Amino acid sequence: MPIKIALFRSMVIGDRRLTREALLRIANAVGGADARTVIATGNLLFRSRKSVGRLTRELEAACAEEYDRATEIVVKTAEEWRTMLAANPFAAEALETPSRVILWAMRDPLPDHGLEQLHRRARGTERIERIASGDFYCWFGDGEIADSKLIGGFGLKSLGAVGTNRNWSTATRIGAALDEMAKRDRSAHQ
């Protein structure tokens, strides 16, 4: 059964923090099988034959049921995730300082006007690159991430898209969890 990745945009919903147990209940509510979380940042992997669009709607509804309100959720297939990782335009920088490279996983591709807005916000050595899928990467260069105008002071909706970010270390840990699940599949079929 195909593996899906659900990325929760917020770790705090209302006044409650997402928990591993709640994420697993949400996966169960949408019929997700073999669910697991990857570190405590709202990353949920599970198996499902449902489409990305249907899972997005159902996960947000299950989240609202669990927390009395929803947060935005971006769902990717295993193939999409692997393609995004392989497309990292800042691979050399990620090897040296993975916390300074951020992958923005988008529900829909980042439009041109959103990319232009991000380029205008970049300062100093900061760089932004949209990849073929419409997701994008940020390299924070040598400045303080907390001082960057790239991530603060606006919502992605103002850029014309919904998405959520993970630093390179987290993105690759999600990739490793996907690989582990796929390896178990291959072992079970041998």
Side-chain angles (χ1 to χ4, degrees):
M1 191 172 344
I3 303 169
K4 302 292 194 311
I5 302 100
L7 307 167
F8 288 65
R9 181 140 190 249
S10 178
M11 285 299 299
V12 177
I13 303 172
D15 60 353
R16 294 171 47 206
R17 187 163 177 77
L18 279 178
T19 64
R20 177 183 184 280
E21 294 75 20
L23 287 171
L24 295 176
R25 281 193 299 274
I26 291 168
N28 187 56
V30 302
D34 194 22
R36 64 175 58 192
T37 61
V38 178
I39 65 176
T41 57
N43 309 305
L44 179 62
L45 281 69
F46 57 94
R47 297 177 187 283
S48 176
R49 292 195 194 324
K50 294 178 183 178
S51 72
V52 166
R54 181 175 175 188
L55 281 170
T56 300
R57 291 186 301 277
E58 289 182 8
L59 285 164
E60 288 182 354
C63 181
E65 182 73 25
E66 178 80 26
Y67 285 95
D68 296 324
R69 69 174 2 161
T71 189
E72 292 165 328
I73 299 169
V74 175
V75 179
K76 297 287 185 180
T77 67
E79 294 77 23
E80 288 172 325
W81 194 260
R82 289 184 182 107
T83 299
M84 288 189 321
L85 292 181
N88 180 357
F90 307 120
E93 294 87 344
L95 284 174
E96 191 165 318
T97 52
S99 64
R100 301 186 72 70
V101 174
I102 304 292
L103 165 60
W104 286 84
M106 305 301 294
R107 187 179 294 170
D108 297 306
L110 178 70
D112 290 342
H113 75 272
L115 182 62
E116 291 164 8
Q117 182 178 344
L118 286 168
H119 282 145
R120 285 192 303 272
R121 297 176 74 84
R123 298 291 179 259
T125 56
E126 294 177 335
R127 294 182 301 183
I128 301 95
E129 294 290 334
R130 182 176 52 189
I131 58 176
S133 61
D135 304 284
F136 66 97
Y137 279 87
C138 295
W139 161 245
F140 287 95
D142 54 13
E144 292 294 323
I145 293 175
D147 296 334
S148 175
K149 302 240 185 260
L150 288 176
I151 58 172
F154 71 93
L156 277 175
K157 286 183 183 178
S158 72
L159 300 178
V162 172
T164 186
N165 69 68
R166 301 297 185 267
N167 72 32
W168 185 247
S169 295
T170 300
T172 56
R173 286 181 72 178
I174 293 168
L178 283 172
D179 292 344
E180 180 183 310
M181 290 174 81
K183 184 179 178 182
R184 281 189 303 151
D185 288 349
R186 286 189 300 273
S187 295
H189 290 92
Q190 289 179 351

